């Protein structure tokens, strides 16, 4: 993170999938390739299985090109200095600026174009907020953005002048080059901070040498606008996603909730240093990784399950620093409410799962608020924002065995304890539910040097 280094994580998708069909197991090999097919009479790029099976038809025409836009706030101090600052018991304060793809642009400056568009063509822009703590509003001069995807889900295709992208969130939009041939500014600016920070990046129409206008589109004001935008996001029920069947064939709203967990965030001083946490507990990592301890059946020597209650105290006045691990029964349908009593914006992520973000409202959550849930077409995603003095609710089935992290996407809050782990154990200890530990895993802590437990079958 020294200077203007920006780290980009690239996810590699495996080309072989294994389908397990009970006992005994049947193994099918899927050779995944790209190709061209015409399911609706129009040639389009599709994903093929074994050279012929159409897997994921995309609910929009192929764009001319596909661009990635990484936006986020930035600190000029290096990562070591930032870590030392947090370790000393202080918070980071306001960031120093905003970047688009690792660059900071200036209006009327000598900005080289980040992207080029041909007149009349449509382009796909993948927007991701990879910053530290700030919500970023993204907009393009004189151009509408058609939202088509959100964190792995196809959504109803509404047009937006600007989008609030909260920390850790990713959107895909289609932009058509239907304006005068010239340069146009992309604008990324912080939201919900005392001081607005912004930057620009140039999109150039091919063959143009006309500079972009210095008059930038304004950002929206207040968080009520952002909340209403969140409510406009809807799952595309007829589009296919990771499977050939439509997304809407999964009727999550008709499943009975078997457990309700409310996670209330808080900030407190512990031994003279700032800490953050859920339900009165500020998580701290252990010398022995949690999953290793669990796999070797030595959990009781490393951590305790369920040190927080599903329903926290009405008022949390202090934080206890210890490992925070919830045990959730395999394949149960669970409601999680994130409640934010602070004046700052928050964003949360759950590893290993997608969930349905069914509601977000100001005030405190009560059971009666379930009447306001979207039980039909809430977007399936893995990150959800919580507005100041507000709450957000998610629904999901914990059907993926393992040890999974729920965390704040605000880096300083996560580093200082606002995270927890969810242990989901399959009683069968079967390869149908969870793989064995890799044979080359580095063992450490109290399990170092121990023989591996019996393999799952």
């Amino acid at each position: 993170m020294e200077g203007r280094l920006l780290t980009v994580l690239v996810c590699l998708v495996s080309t072989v999938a294994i389908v397990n069909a009970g006992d005994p197991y049947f193994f099918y090999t899927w050779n995944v390739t790209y190709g061209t097919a015409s399911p609706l009479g129009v040639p389009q790029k599709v994903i093929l299985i074994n050279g012929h099976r159409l897997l994921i038809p995309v609910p929009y025409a192929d764009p001319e090109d596909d661009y990635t836009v990484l936006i986020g706030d930035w600190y000029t101090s290096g990562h070591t200095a930032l870590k030392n600052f947090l370790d000393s018991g202080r918070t980071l304060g306001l960031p120093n600026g905003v970047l688009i793809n690792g660059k900071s642009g200036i209006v009327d400056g000598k900005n080289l174009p980040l992207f080029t568009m041909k007149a009349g063509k449509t382009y796909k822009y993948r927007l991701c907020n990879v910053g530290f703590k700030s919500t970023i509003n993204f907009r393009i001069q004189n151009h509408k953005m058609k939202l088509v995807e959100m964190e792995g889900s196809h959504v109803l295709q509404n047009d937006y002048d600007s989008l609030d992208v909260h920390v850790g969130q990713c959107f895909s939009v289609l932009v058509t080059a239907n304006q005068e041939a010239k340069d146009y500014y992309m604008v990324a600016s912080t939201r919900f901070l005392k001081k607005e920070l912004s930057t620009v990046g140039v999109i150039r129409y091919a063959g143009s040498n006309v500079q972009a206008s210095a008059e930038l589109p304004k950002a929206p004001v207040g968080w009520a606008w952002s909340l209403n935008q969140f409510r406009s996001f809807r799952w595309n029920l007829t589009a296919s996603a990771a499977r050939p069947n439509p997304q809407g064939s999964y009727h999550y709203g008709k499943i009975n909730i078997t457990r309700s967990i409310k996670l209330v965030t808080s900030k407190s001083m512990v031994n003279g240093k700032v800490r953050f946490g859920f339900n009165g507990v500020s998580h701290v990592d252990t010398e022995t990784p949690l999953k290793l301890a669990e796999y070797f059946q030595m959990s009781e020597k490393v951590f305790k399950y369920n040190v927080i209650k599903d329903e926290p105290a009405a008022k949390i006045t202090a934080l206890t620093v210890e490992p925070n691990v919830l045990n959730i029964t395999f394949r149960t349908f669970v409601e999680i409410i994130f409640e934010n009593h602070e004046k700052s914006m928050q964003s949360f992520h759950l590893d290993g799962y997608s969930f349905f973000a069914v509601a977000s409202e100001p005030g405190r959550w009560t059971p009666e608020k379930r009447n306001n849930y979207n039980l039909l077409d809430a977007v399936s995603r893995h990150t959800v924002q919580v507005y100041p003095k507000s709450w957000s609710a998610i629904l999901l089935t914990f059907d993926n065995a393992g040890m999974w992290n729920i965390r704040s996407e605000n880096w300083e809050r996560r580093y200082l304890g606002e995270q927890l782990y969810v242990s989901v154990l399959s009683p069968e200890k079967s390869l149908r539910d969870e793989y064995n530990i890799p044979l080359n895993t580095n063992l450490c802590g109290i399990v170092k040097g121990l023989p591996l437990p019996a393999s799952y079958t």
Side-chain angles (χ1 to χ4, degrees), residues 18-22 25-28 431-433 435:
I18 299 177
V19 178
N20 296 333
Y25 298 114
F26 297 93
F27 298 93
Y28 299 92
L431 288 174
R432 178 190 60 193
D433 303 325
Y435 288 125

Side-chain angles (χ1 to χ4, degrees), residues 3 33 36 53 74 90 101 106 168 174 192 195 223 236 265 272 306 355 359 382 393 398 401 404 430 454:
T33 58
T36 300
R53 184 174 167 235
W74 192 253
R90 297 172 290 174
N101 285 6
I106 302 174
L174 298 179
F192 318 120
K195 178 185 177 182
W223 60 265
N236 187 331
T265 64
N306 302 320
F355 51 72
H382 48 73
F398 279 92
W404 307 107
S430 167

Side-chain angles (χ1 to χ4, degrees), residues 232-248:
S232 74
F233 299 151
R234 291 290 187 266
W235 214 25
N236 187 331
L237 299 180
T238 60
S240 299
R243 298 175 179 87
N245 52 301
Q247 292 179 150

Side-chain angles (χ1 to χ4, degrees), residues 124-288:
K124 184 176 181 179
Y125 288 79
R126 301 176 187 266
L127 316 174
C128 289
N129 186 335
V130 296
F132 287 79
K133 63 192 300 183
S134 306
T135 295
I136 302 294
N137 182 267
F138 181 84
R139 50 209 185 270
I140 303 174
Q141 276 182 325
N142 296 6
H143 289 77
K144 297 281 188 180
M145 297 180 290
K146 185 181 293 294
L147 183 64
V148 293
E149 295 172 3
M150 183 185 301
E151 298 174 25
S153 287
H154 295 301
V155 297
L156 290 186
Q157 297 178 12
N158 296 321
D159 289 333
Y160 296 90
D161 293 316
S162 70
L163 286 166
D164 272 357
V165 189
H166 306 281
V167 184
Q169 295 183 352
C170 291
F171 299 158
S172 292
V173 299
L174 298 179
V175 178
T176 300
N178 56 8
Q179 300 296 308
E180 177 188 351
K182 55 182 287 189
D183 289 355
Y184 294 90
Y185 283 124
M186 299 177 288
V187 186
S189 59
T190 58
R191 296 268 277 136
F192 318 120
L193 297 182
K194 293 180 180 179
K195 178 185 177 182
E196 181 182 294
L197 304 171
S198 65
T199 191
V200 296
V202 171
I203 296 176
R204 175 163 293 170
Y205 274 52
S208 168
N209 58 4
V210 179
Q211 192 172 7
S213 168
E215 185 177 351
L216 300 181
K218 300 291 185 182
V221 177
W223 60 265
W225 180 95
S226 185
L227 176 57
N228 287 331
Q229 184 175 81
F230 163 79
R231 290 171 175 167
S232 74
F233 299 151
R234 291 290 187 266
W235 214 25
N236 187 331
L237 299 180
T238 60
S240 299
R243 298 175 179 87
N245 52 301
Q247 292 179 150
S249 61
Y250 183 71
H251 303 289
Y252 68 91
K254 296 182 179 180
I255 305 174
N256 291 328
I257 296 171
T258 56
R259 184 175 177 184
S260 180
I261 302 169
K262 184 192 290 185
L263 298 177
V264 176
T265 64
S266 61
K267 173 183 177 182
S268 186
M269 300 295 290
V270 179
N271 297 325
K273 296 182 178 182
V274 175
R275 296 289 300 187
F276 299 93
F278 287 120
N279 295 10
V281 173
S282 181
H283 175 80
V284 63
D285 289 330
T286 55
E287 180 183 359
T288 305

Side-chain angles (χ1 to χ4, degrees), residues 97-108:
V98 176
L99 303 180
I100 300 178
N101 285 6
K103 300 179 184 297
S104 179
I106 302 174
V107 175
D108 289 339

